Amino acid sequence: MKDVTRKRLHNSEKRKARKQAQLAARAEKPPILTFDGTSLGRPGVSASAAVIEMPDLTYHTTTKFLPRAFADDAEYEGLIIGLEKAKELGISKLEIKGDSQMVIYQISGKYLIKPNSKFLDYHEQVLNLLSDFDDYSLCWIPRKQNKLADKCLKEHQPIHTKNLAEEYVEYLIYGNLDYYL
């Protein structure tokens, strides 16, 4: 019995040492900003979220409600509110991760933006915010790896707010008769 207790204590000590080593390694890295956006229509009621994971594993979250926007607008807004929060926290170096390939690649210059695109204003606003940081990196991640921002977004996601009259008007415009029968 004593051997089992001693083994458990030894394993517990190993776990604590491993966690301390992970925290020490993480302390050398910059904070991580993850962002996300969603829309309940095209355009529709939308929301944006950003989570900043600090080196000491504390989190700062921010969300924004958008009454009428497309999903790509919500993604850009998520990045913008995240950068504003990072600036407010006095962060100088930042690792930025998002599951919106379009936003990440437009900001990094991998995708070009058409001169008359609505994303030019977002692009300019993000670049102005990024100029306030000493160093940053941009990384596209698959949706499955964007769990923090996705969870924050789901907790603050707007509910379906259309009433029957609004839905009927949409039926008249788009003709989805099966929904109303």
Side-chain angles (χ1 to χ4, degrees):
M1 193 81 135
K2 287 183 179 181
D3 289 336
V4 172
T5 305
R6 199 174 303 142
K7 196 171 191 174
R8 284 184 184 157
L9 285 172
H10 180 67
N11 287 340
S12 174
E13 290 169 2
K14 277 180 158 179
R15 281 192 300 274
K16 286 179 184 176
R18 194 169 36 245
K19 186 166 184 166
Q20 286 175 344
Q22 288 172 342
L23 283 172
R26 179 69 185 105
E28 297 173 12
K29 295 183 179 180
I32 299 171
L33 164 66
T34 56
F35 66 92
D36 206 357
T38 188
S39 178
L40 297 177
R42 296 183 186 166
V45 178
S46 305
S48 303
V51 177
I52 300 172
E53 180 183 344
M54 302 301 281
D56 63 358
L57 298 180
T58 57
Y59 300 93
H60 299 273
T61 62
T62 182
T63 58
K64 183 175 183 179
F65 172 76
L66 305 165
R68 189 165 173 82
F70 288 94
D72 291 333
D73 298 319
E75 292 280 356
Y76 258 111
E77 287 290 342
L79 176 56
I80 290 167
I81 63 174
L83 291 172
E84 289 170 345
K85 184 69 169 181
K87 186 178 169 182
E88 176 185 311
L89 293 169
I91 295 171
S92 60
K93 295 180 181 180
L94 195 59
E95 191 175 326
I96 303 165
K97 297 181 178 184
D99 61 11
S100 173
Q101 198 172 46
M102 184 199 76
V103 171
I104 293 291
Y105 289 170
Q106 282 182 348
I107 298 303
S108 65
K110 195 171 184 177
Y111 287 176
L112 296 176
I113 304 173
K114 294 179 183 177
N116 59 351
S117 172
K118 68 177 181 175
F119 298 118
L120 275 176
D121 291 336
Y122 287 126
H123 186 262
E124 185 178 318
Q125 190 174 356
V126 169
L127 291 181
N128 285 339
L129 286 166
L130 287 173
S131 69
D132 293 332
F133 296 93
D134 295 339
D135 190 27
Y136 65 88
S137 65
L138 294 164
C139 178
W140 173 80
I141 56 174
R143 188 174 188 182
K144 289 180 182 177
Q145 293 179 17
N146 201 14
K147 291 179 182 175
L148 286 175
D150 191 51
K151 182 180 178 187
C152 182
L153 187 62
K154 285 182 179 173
E155 289 174 0
H156 296 90
Q157 186 173 6
I159 57 170
H160 186 69
T161 58
K162 292 181 187 170
N163 62 32
L164 189 57
E166 291 170 319
E167 289 180 355
Y168 182 69
V169 168
E170 281 191 9
Y171 154 69
L172 292 174
I173 296 170
Y174 301 111
N176 188 4
L177 184 60
D178 293 338
Y179 181 80
Y180 297 96
L181 295 177

